[in-house]
Amino acid sequence: GAVVSQHPSRVICKSGTSVKIECRSLDFQATTMFWYRQFPKQSLMLMATSNEGSKATYEQGVEKDKFLINHASLTLSTLTVTSAHPEDSSFYICSVPGWYNEQFFGPGTRLTVL
Amino acid sequence: DQQVKQNSPSLSVQEGRISILNCDYTNSMFDYFLWYKKYPAEGPTFLISISSIKDKNEDGRFTVFLNKSAKHLSLHIVPSQPGDSAVYFCAANLNYGGATNKLIFGTGTLLAVQP
């Protein structure tokens, strides 16, 4: 399957700052990438679908002005958490769709907002 | 509204025995089901999938069974190995038409395989 990387793997920031997370598809060109969030002991929740060359599609309840997504190329999507607050602390994971309906996930980014 | 449910938060099995992980869903529009394995602080790893038009798919030690009438699927791992210890997520694919689809995940089951 596709190899997906994320950077950074973990980040700690102060409340009010912005944090950028990168998701790269290393061996597969992806016109679509997905961003998920997982709170402790909970399921993965889809936040948004990143589309190369057009605007991201956000799930209900996800603030598009807070979670900025840019699909810069066929191998790179970025998620910027703007004005982060402690409640944004979570595990953020991106994925790339496979040939069928599977998705291949990156290793995730642990965000801690102090 | 949890469309994909894994009612067992945890399961403990002896090495060499069969592990059976269960998943129930409510939306009859799901057309594909997948199982993922996840270790703490890592992304999920794809294990096996099944189309809604089939009732069984097998890959090595992993077999997924689908019962559409009951809206139930299960993952069988046999024989279970200590390295199988992880959280297992069931996911269902919802196709909105064209190239638009998304995965809905269950809450996960923590499998512990005892040596």
Side-chain angles (χ1 to χ4, degrees):
Chain A
V3 179
V4 183
S5 70
Q6 279 184 243
H7 177 79
S9 58
R10 51 195 320 152
V11 57
I12 301 173
C13 69
K14 292 183 179 179
S15 185
T17 61
S18 294
V19 175
K20 180 187 282 188
I21 303 170
E22 291 185 350
C23 175
R24 292 184 184 273
S25 176
L26 300 182
D27 59 351
F28 195 80
Q29 291 189 327
T31 56
T32 300
M33 294 184 182
F34 300 96
W35 285 98
Y36 291 81
R37 178 168 56 184
Q38 185 188 23
F39 292 108
K41 297 186 178 181
Q42 293 189 23
S43 184
L44 282 78
M45 300 298 295
L46 179 65
M47 298 176 64
T49 302
S50 175
N51 304 299
E52 194 269 338
S54 63
K55 292 182 180 179
T57 306
Y58 290 83
E59 294 300 302
Q60 191 173 13
V62 178
E63 300 175 57
K64 61 180 181 180
D65 294 330
K66 181 168 185 60
F67 299 99
L68 301 179
I69 290 173
N70 181 30
H71 201 128
S73 72
L74 289 173
T75 58
L76 173 64
S77 175
T78 60
L79 168 68
T80 301
V81 183
T82 62
S83 186
H85 289 98
E87 58 266 29
D88 298 323
S89 298
S90 188
F91 191 57
Y92 292 86
I93 318 173
C94 69
S95 72
V96 170
W99 287 109
Y100 300 100
N101 290 300
E102 74 274 40
Q103 292 179 18
F104 298 101
F105 287 83
T109 297
R110 170 71 61 193
L111 171 63
T112 303
V113 185
L114 303 176
Chain B
D1 177 30
Q2 189 70 30
Q3 297 186 68
V4 181
K5 300 179 183 179
Q6 294 176 256
N7 292 317
S8 298
S10 63
L11 174 67
S12 183
V13 172
Q14 285 293 120
E15 180 179 5
R17 307 294 281 266
I18 184 171
S19 296
I20 300 176
L21 299 113
N22 294 301
C23 179
D24 297 294
Y25 62 95
T26 57
N27 193 335
S28 58
M29 298 301 292
F30 290 141
D31 63 351
Y32 217 80
F33 300 91
L34 307 92
W35 284 94
Y36 284 85
K37 176 181 179 180
K38 186 180 182 300
Y39 295 114
E42 292 185 13
T45 301
F46 170 69
L47 277 177
I48 191 169
S49 62
I50 187 168
S51 165
S52 62
I53 62 173
K54 300 201 171 178
D55 55 19
K56 178 182 175 181
N57 188 27
E58 190 173 354
D59 184 2
R61 296 187 297 117
F62 302 93
T63 303
V64 56
F65 295 93
L66 175 62
N67 183 334
K68 281 190 69 176
S69 61
K71 293 192 174 68
H72 177 84
L73 67 155
S74 60
L75 174 67
H76 292 210
I77 306 173
V78 57
S80 300
Q81 300 172 354
D84 296 329
S85 299
V87 176
Y88 287 78
F89 286 97
C90 167
N93 183 73
L94 192 59
N95 195 324
Y96 289 93
T100 305
N101 63 333
K102 68 177 185 181
L103 291 183
I104 311 295
F105 281 84
T107 49
T109 296
L110 174 62
L111 173 64
V113 180
Q114 310 296 334

mmCIF file with all atom_site columns, all heavy atoms in Angstrom, chain B residues 67-85:
data_model
loop_
_atom_site.group_PDB
_atom_site.id
_atom_site.type_symbol
_atom_site.label_atom_id
_atom_site.label_alt_id
_atom_site.label_comp_id
_atom_site.label_asym_id
_atom_site.label_entity_id
_atom_site.label_seq_id
_atom_site.pdbx_PDB_ins_code
_atom_site.Cartn_x
_atom_site.Cartn_y
_atom_site.Cartn_z
_atom_site.occupancy
_atom_site.B_iso_or_equiv
_atom_site.pdbx_formal_charge
_atom_site.auth_seq_id
_atom_site.auth_comp_id
_atom_site.auth_asym_id
_atom_site.auth_atom_id
_atom_site.pdbx_PDB_model_num
ATOM 1   N N   . ASN B 1 67 ? -22.384 -10.472 7.565  1.00 0.00 ? 67 ASN B N   1
ATOM 2   C CA  . ASN B 1 67 ? -23.775 -10.892 7.583  1.00 0.00 ? 67 ASN B CA  1
ATOM 3   C C   . ASN B 1 67 ? -24.622 -9.645  7.355  1.00 0.00 ? 67 ASN B C   1
ATOM 4   O O   . ASN B 1 67 ? -24.904 -8.882  8.275  1.00 0.00 ? 67 ASN B O   1
ATOM 5   C CB  . ASN B 1 67 ? -24.116 -11.546 8.931  1.00 0.00 ? 67 ASN B CB  1
ATOM 6   C CG  . ASN B 1 67 ? -25.538 -12.071 8.988  1.00 0.00 ? 67 ASN B CG  1
ATOM 7   O OD1 . ASN B 1 67 ? -26.420 -11.579 8.288  1.00 0.00 ? 67 ASN B OD1 1
ATOM 8   N ND2 . ASN B 1 67 ? -25.759 -13.056 9.828  1.00 0.00 ? 67 ASN B ND2 1
ATOM 9   N N   . LYS B 1 68 ? -25.007 -9.442  6.107  1.00 0.00 ? 68 LYS B N   1
ATOM 10  C CA  . LYS B 1 68 ? -25.709 -8.208  5.753  1.00 0.00 ? 68 LYS B CA  1
ATOM 11  C C   . LYS B 1 68 ? -27.079 -8.115  6.392  1.00 0.00 ? 68 LYS B C   1
ATOM 12  O O   . LYS B 1 68 ? -27.529 -7.037  6.788  1.00 0.00 ? 68 LYS B O   1
ATOM 13  C CB  . LYS B 1 68 ? -25.832 -8.083  4.236  1.00 0.00 ? 68 LYS B CB  1
ATOM 14  C CG  . LYS B 1 68 ? -24.577 -7.609  3.553  1.00 0.00 ? 68 LYS B CG  1
ATOM 15  C CD  . LYS B 1 68 ? -24.831 -7.282  2.105  1.00 0.00 ? 68 LYS B CD  1
ATOM 16  C CE  . LYS B 1 68 ? -25.688 -6.041  1.941  1.00 0.00 ? 68 LYS B CE  1
ATOM 17  N NZ  . LYS B 1 68 ? -25.848 -5.670  0.522  1.00 0.00 ? 68 LYS B NZ  1
ATOM 18  N N   . SER B 1 69 ? -27.759 -9.233  6.487  1.00 0.00 ? 69 SER B N   1
ATOM 19  C CA  . SER B 1 69 ? -29.111 -9.196  7.054  1.00 0.00 ? 69 SER B CA  1
ATOM 20  C C   . SER B 1 69 ? -29.073 -8.772  8.517  1.00 0.00 ? 69 SER B C   1
ATOM 21  O O   . SER B 1 69 ? -29.974 -8.098  9.008  1.00 0.00 ? 69 SER B O   1
ATOM 22  C CB  . SER B 1 69 ? -29.792 -10.543 6.906  1.00 0.00 ? 69 SER B CB  1
ATOM 23  O OG  . SER B 1 69 ? -29.072 -11.550 7.588  1.00 0.00 ? 69 SER B OG  1
ATOM 24  N N   . ALA B 1 70 ? -28.020 -9.163  9.198  1.00 0.00 ? 70 ALA B N   1
ATOM 25  C CA  . ALA B 1 70 ? -27.866 -8.793  10.605 1.00 0.00 ? 70 ALA B CA  1
ATOM 26  C C   . ALA B 1 70 ? -27.079 -7.506  10.777 1.00 0.00 ? 70 ALA B C   1
ATOM 27  O O   . ALA B 1 70 ? -26.908 -7.018  11.899 1.00 0.00 ? 70 ALA B O   1
ATOM 28  C CB  . ALA B 1 70 ? -27.177 -9.914  11.373 1.00 0.00 ? 70 ALA B CB  1
ATOM 29  N N   . LYS B 1 71 ? -26.560 -6.958  9.680  1.00 0.00 ? 71 LYS B N   1
ATOM 30  C CA  . LYS B 1 71 ? -25.690 -5.775  9.721  1.00 0.00 ? 71 LYS B CA  1
ATOM 31  C C   . LYS B 1 71 ? -24.555 -6.002  10.724 1.00 0.00 ? 71 LYS B C   1
ATOM 32  O O   . LYS B 1 71 ? -24.308 -5.199  11.638 1.00 0.00 ? 71 LYS B O   1
ATOM 33  C CB  . LYS B 1 71 ? -26.483 -4.517  10.073 1.00 0.00 ? 71 LYS B CB  1
ATOM 34  C CG  . LYS B 1 71 ? -27.487 -4.095  9.004  1.00 0.00 ? 71 LYS B CG  1
ATOM 35  C CD  . LYS B 1 71 ? -28.019 -2.699  9.296  1.00 0.00 ? 71 LYS B CD  1
ATOM 36  C CE  . LYS B 1 71 ? -28.915 -2.190  8.183  1.00 0.00 ? 71 LYS B CE  1
ATOM 37  N NZ  . LYS B 1 71 ? -30.179 -2.924  8.061  1.00 0.00 ? 71 LYS B NZ  1
ATOM 38  N N   . HIS B 1 72 ? -23.865 -7.101  10.512 1.00 0.00 ? 72 HIS B N   1
ATOM 39  C CA  . HIS B 1 72 ? -22.826 -7.525  11.440 1.00 0.00 ? 72 HIS B CA  1
ATOM 40  C C   . HIS B 1 72 ? -21.637 -8.073  10.670 1.00 0.00 ? 72 HIS B C   1
ATOM 41  O O   . HIS B 1 72 ? -21.796 -8.785  9.676  1.00 0.00 ? 72 HIS B O   1
ATOM 42  C CB  . HIS B 1 72 ? -23.378 -8.609  12.369 1.00 0.00 ? 72 HIS B CB  1
ATOM 43  C CG  . HIS B 1 72 ? -22.375 -9.169  13.316 1.00 0.00 ? 72 HIS B CG  1
ATOM 44  N ND1 . HIS B 1 72 ? -22.068 -8.576  14.520 1.00 0.00 ? 72 HIS B ND1 1
ATOM 45  C CD2 . HIS B 1 72 ? -21.576 -10.272 13.221 1.00 0.00 ? 72 HIS B CD2 1
ATOM 46  C CE1 . HIS B 1 72 ? -21.141 -9.285  15.129 1.00 0.00 ? 72 HIS B CE1 1
ATOM 47  N NE2 . HIS B 1 72 ? -20.835 -10.321 14.370 1.00 0.00 ? 72 HIS B NE2 1
ATOM 48  N N   . LEU B 1 73 ? -20.446 -7.718  11.121 1.00 0.00 ? 73 LEU B N   1
ATOM 49  C CA  . LEU B 1 73 ? -19.259 -8.347  10.572 1.00 0.00 ? 73 LEU B CA  1
ATOM 50  C C   . LEU B 1 73 ? -18.308 -8.718  11.700 1.00 0.00 ? 73 LEU B C   1
ATOM 51  O O   . LEU B 1 73 ? -18.402 -8.173  12.810 1.00 0.00 ? 73 LEU B O   1
ATOM 52  C CB  . LEU B 1 73 ? -18.558 -7.473  9.528  1.00 0.00 ? 73 LEU B CB  1
ATOM 53  C CG  . LEU B 1 73 ? -17.902 -6.167  9.915  1.00 0.00 ? 73 LEU B CG  1
ATOM 54  C CD1 . LEU B 1 73 ? -16.803 -5.847  8.912  1.00 0.00 ? 73 LEU B CD1 1
ATOM 55  C CD2 . LEU B 1 73 ? -18.908 -5.035  9.886  1.00 0.00 ? 73 LEU B CD2 1
ATOM 56  N N   . SER B 1 74 ? -17.456 -9.671  11.398 1.00 0.00 ? 74 SER B N   1
ATOM 57  C CA  . SER B 1 74 ? -16.513 -10.115 12.414 1.00 0.00 ? 74 SER B CA  1
ATOM 58  C C   . SER B 1 74 ? -15.159 -10.392 11.765 1.00 0.00 ? 74 SER B C   1
ATOM 59  O O   . SER B 1 74 ? -15.081 -10.714 10.571 1.00 0.00 ? 74 SER B O   1
ATOM 60  C CB  . SER B 1 74 ? -17.026 -11.366 13.137 1.00 0.00 ? 74 SER B CB  1
ATOM 61  O OG  . SER B 1 74 ? -17.214 -12.428 12.219 1.00 0.00 ? 74 SER B OG  1
ATOM 62  N N   . LEU B 1 75 ? -14.136 -10.239 12.565 1.00 0.00 ? 75 LEU B N   1
ATOM 63  C CA  . LEU B 1 75 ? -12.763 -10.542 12.152 1.00 0.00 ? 75 LEU B CA  1
ATOM 64  C C   . LEU B 1 75 ? -12.283 -11.713 12.991 1.00 0.00 ? 75 LEU B C   1
ATOM 65  O O   . LEU B 1 75 ? -12.335 -11.651 14.221 1.00 0.00 ? 75 LEU B O   1
ATOM 66  C CB  . LEU B 1 75 ? -11.852 -9.332  12.372 1.00 0.00 ? 75 LEU B CB  1
ATOM 67  C CG  . LEU B 1 75 ? -10.361 -9.570  12.111 1.00 0.00 ? 75 LEU B CG  1
ATOM 68  C CD1 . LEU B 1 75 ? -10.112 -9.829  10.623 1.00 0.00 ? 75 LEU B CD1 1
ATOM 69  C CD2 . LEU B 1 75 ? -9.539  -8.381  12.596 1.00 0.00 ? 75 LEU B CD2 1
ATOM 70  N N   . HIS B 1 76 ? -11.848 -12.766 12.305 1.00 0.00 ? 76 HIS B N   1
ATOM 71  C CA  . HIS B 1 76 ? -11.304 -13.929 12.985 1.00 0.00 ? 76 HIS B CA  1
ATOM 72  C C   . HIS B 1 76 ? -9.787  -13.960 12.766 1.00 0.00 ? 76 HIS B C   1
ATOM 73  O O   . HIS B 1 76 ? -9.328  -13.842 11.612 1.00 0.00 ? 76 HIS B O   1
ATOM 74  C CB  . HIS B 1 76 ? -11.925 -15.220 12.451 1.00 0.00 ? 76 HIS B CB  1
ATOM 75  C CG  . HIS B 1 76 ? -13.377 -15.364 12.781 1.00 0.00 ? 76 HIS B CG  1
ATOM 76  N ND1 . HIS B 1 76 ? -13.972 -16.591 12.961 1.00 0.00 ? 76 HIS B ND1 1
ATOM 77  C CD2 . HIS B 1 76 ? -14.350 -14.444 12.989 1.00 0.00 ? 76 HIS B CD2 1
ATOM 78  C CE1 . HIS B 1 76 ? -15.257 -16.416 13.249 1.00 0.00 ? 76 HIS B CE1 1
ATOM 79  N NE2 . HIS B 1 76 ? -15.502 -15.120 13.273 1.00 0.00 ? 76 HIS B NE2 1
ATOM 80  N N   . ILE B 1 77 ? -9.071  -14.154 13.847 1.00 0.00 ? 77 ILE B N   1
ATOM 81  C CA  . ILE B 1 77 ? -7.617  -14.277 13.759 1.00 0.00 ? 77 ILE B CA  1
ATOM 82  C C   . ILE B 1 77 ? -7.255  -15.637 14.348 1.00 0.00 ? 77 ILE B C   1
ATOM 83  O O   . ILE B 1 77 ? -7.531  -15.912 15.516 1.00 0.00 ? 77 ILE B O   1
ATOM 84  C CB  . ILE B 1 77 ? -6.904  -13.176 14.560 1.00 0.00 ? 77 ILE B CB  1
ATOM 85  C CG1 . ILE B 1 77 ? -7.383  -11.782 14.136 1.00 0.00 ? 77 ILE B CG1 1
ATOM 86  C CG2 . ILE B 1 77 ? -5.384  -13.281 14.361 1.00 0.00 ? 77 ILE B CG2 1
ATOM 87  C CD1 . ILE B 1 77 ? -6.837  -10.646 15.000 1.00 0.00 ? 77 ILE B CD1 1
ATOM 88  N N   . VAL B 1 78 ? -6.675  -16.482 13.500 1.00 0.00 ? 78 VAL B N   1
ATOM 89  C CA  . VAL B 1 78 ? -6.317  -17.811 14.004 1.00 0.00 ? 78 VAL B CA  1
ATOM 90  C C   . VAL B 1 78 ? -5.075  -18.322 13.286 1.00 0.00 ? 78 VAL B C   1
ATOM 91  O O   . VAL B 1 78 ? -5.006  -18.250 12.066 1.00 0.00 ? 78 VAL B O   1
ATOM 92  C CB  . VAL B 1 78 ? -7.518  -18.779 13.850 1.00 0.00 ? 78 VAL B CB  1
ATOM 93  C CG1 . VAL B 1 78 ? -7.977  -18.869 12.406 1.00 0.00 ? 78 VAL B CG1 1
ATOM 94  C CG2 . VAL B 1 78 ? -7.182  -20.147 14.375 1.00 0.00 ? 78 VAL B CG2 1
ATOM 95  N N   . PRO B 1 79 ? -4.071  -18.811 14.019 1.00 0.00 ? 79 PRO B N   1
ATOM 96  C CA  . PRO B 1 79 ? -3.974  -18.736 15.459 1.00 0.00 ? 79 PRO B CA  1
ATOM 97  C C   . PRO B 1 79 ? -3.536  -17.353 15.923 1.00 0.00 ? 79 PRO B C   1
ATOM 98  O O   . PRO B 1 79 ? -2.785  -16.668 15.227 1.00 0.00 ? 79 PRO B O   1
ATOM 99  C CB  . PRO B 1 79 ? -2.873  -19.769 15.769 1.00 0.00 ? 79 PRO B CB  1
ATOM 100 C CG  . PRO B 1 79 ? -1.995  -19.730 14.556 1.00 0.00 ? 79 PRO B CG  1
ATOM 101 C CD  . PRO B 1 79 ? -2.911  -19.469 13.388 1.00 0.00 ? 79 PRO B CD  1
ATOM 102 N N   . SER B 1 80 ? -3.990  -16.958 17.085 1.00 0.00 ? 80 SER B N   1
ATOM 103 C CA  . SER B 1 80 ? -3.607  -15.657 17.618 1.00 0.00 ? 80 SER B CA  1
ATOM 104 C C   . SER B 1 80 ? -2.164  -15.695 18.110 1.00 0.00 ? 80 SER B C   1
ATOM 105 O O   . SER B 1 80 ? -1.695  -16.711 18.647 1.00 0.00 ? 80 SER B O   1
ATOM 106 C CB  . SER B 1 80 ? -4.531  -15.270 18.778 1.00 0.00 ? 80 SER B CB  1
ATOM 107 O OG  . SER B 1 80 ? -5.870  -15.215 18.337 1.00 0.00 ? 80 SER B OG  1
ATOM 108 N N   . GLN B 1 81 ? -1.476  -14.565 17.930 1.00 0.00 ? 81 GLN B N   1
ATOM 109 C CA  . GLN B 1 81 ? -0.078  -14.455 18.343 1.00 0.00 ? 81 GLN B CA  1
ATOM 110 C C   . GLN B 1 81 ? 0.076   -13.221 19.245 1.00 0.00 ? 81 GLN B C   1
ATOM 111 O O   . GLN B 1 81 ? -0.678  -12.252 19.095 1.00 0.00 ? 81 GLN B O   1
ATOM 112 C CB  . GLN B 1 81 ? 0.829   -14.310 17.122 1.00 0.00 ? 81 GLN B CB  1
ATOM 113 C CG  . GLN B 1 81 ? 0.756   -15.482 16.156 1.00 0.00 ? 81 GLN B CG  1
ATOM 114 C CD  . GLN B 1 81 ? 1.519   -15.229 14.866 1.00 0.00 ? 81 GLN B CD  1
ATOM 115 O OE1 . GLN B 1 81 ? 2.025   -14.124 14.627 1.00 0.00 ? 81 GLN B OE1 1
ATOM 116 N NE2 . GLN B 1 81 ? 1.603   -16.259 14.024 1.00 0.00 ? 81 GLN B NE2 1
ATOM 117 N N   . PRO B 1 82 ? 1.031   -13.227 20.143 1.00 0.00 ? 82 PRO B N   1
ATOM 118 C CA  . PRO B 1 82 ? 1.226   -12.051 21.016 1.00 0.00 ? 82 PRO B CA  1
ATOM 119 C C   . PRO B 1 82 ? 1.400   -10.752 20.241 1.00 0.00 ? 82 PRO B C   1
ATOM 120 O O   . PRO B 1 82 ? 0.955   -9.700  20.680 1.00 0.00 ? 82 PRO B O   1
ATOM 121 C CB  . PRO B 1 82 ? 2.488   -12.419 21.811 1.00 0.00 ? 82 PRO B CB  1
ATOM 122 C CG  . PRO B 1 82 ? 2.461   -13.911 21.869 1.00 0.00 ? 82 PRO B CG  1
ATOM 123 C CD  . PRO B 1 82 ? 1.898   -14.349 20.529 1.00 0.00 ? 82 PRO B CD  1
ATOM 124 N N   . GLY B 1 83 ? 2.008   -10.826 19.068 1.00 0.00 ? 83 GLY B N   1
ATOM 125 C CA  . GLY B 1 83 ? 2.186   -9.636  18.241 1.00 0.00 ? 83 GLY B CA  1
ATOM 126 C C   . GLY B 1 83 ? 0.887   -9.084  17.682 1.00 0.00 ? 83 GLY B C   1
ATOM 127 O O   . GLY B 1 83 ? 0.861   -7.967  17.142 1.00 0.00 ? 83 GLY B O   1
ATOM 128 N N   . ASP B 1 84 ? -0.194  -9.836  17.818 1.00 0.00 ? 84 ASP B N   1
ATOM 129 C CA  . ASP B 1 84 ? -1.499  -9.343  17.364 1.00 0.00 ? 84 ASP B CA  1
ATOM 130 C C   . ASP B 1 84 ? -2.117  -8.386  18.383 1.00 0.00 ? 84 ASP B C   1
ATOM 131 O O   . ASP B 1 84 ? -3.136  -7.749  18.098 1.00 0.00 ? 84 ASP B O   1
ATOM 132 C CB  . ASP B 1 84 ? -2.466  -10.510 17.140 1.00 0.00 ? 84 ASP B CB  1
ATOM 133 C CG  . ASP B 1 84 ? -2.023  -11.439 16.018 1.00 0.00 ? 84 ASP B CG  1
ATOM 134 O OD1 . ASP B 1 84 ? -1.379  -10.950 15.064 1.00 0.00 ? 84 ASP B OD1 1
ATOM 135 O OD2 . ASP B 1 84 ? -2.313  -12.650 16.113 1.00 0.00 ? 84 ASP B OD2 1
ATOM 136 N N   . SER B 1 85 ? -1.537  -8.303  19.551 1.00 0.00 ? 85 SER B N   1
ATOM 137 C CA  . SER B 1 85 ? -2.075  -7.432  20.597 1.00 0.00 ? 85 SER B CA  1
ATOM 138 C C   . SER B 1 85 ? -2.038  -5.975  20.138 1.00 0.00 ? 85 SER B C   1
ATOM 139 O O   . SER B 1 85 ? -0.967  -5.432  19.856 1.00 0.00 ? 85 SER B O   1
ATOM 140 C CB  . SER B 1 85 ? -1.275  -7.598  21.893 1.00 0.00 ? 85 SER B CB  1
ATOM 141 O OG  . SER B 1 85 ? -1.352  -8.925  22.369 1.00 0.00 ? 85 SER B OG  1
#
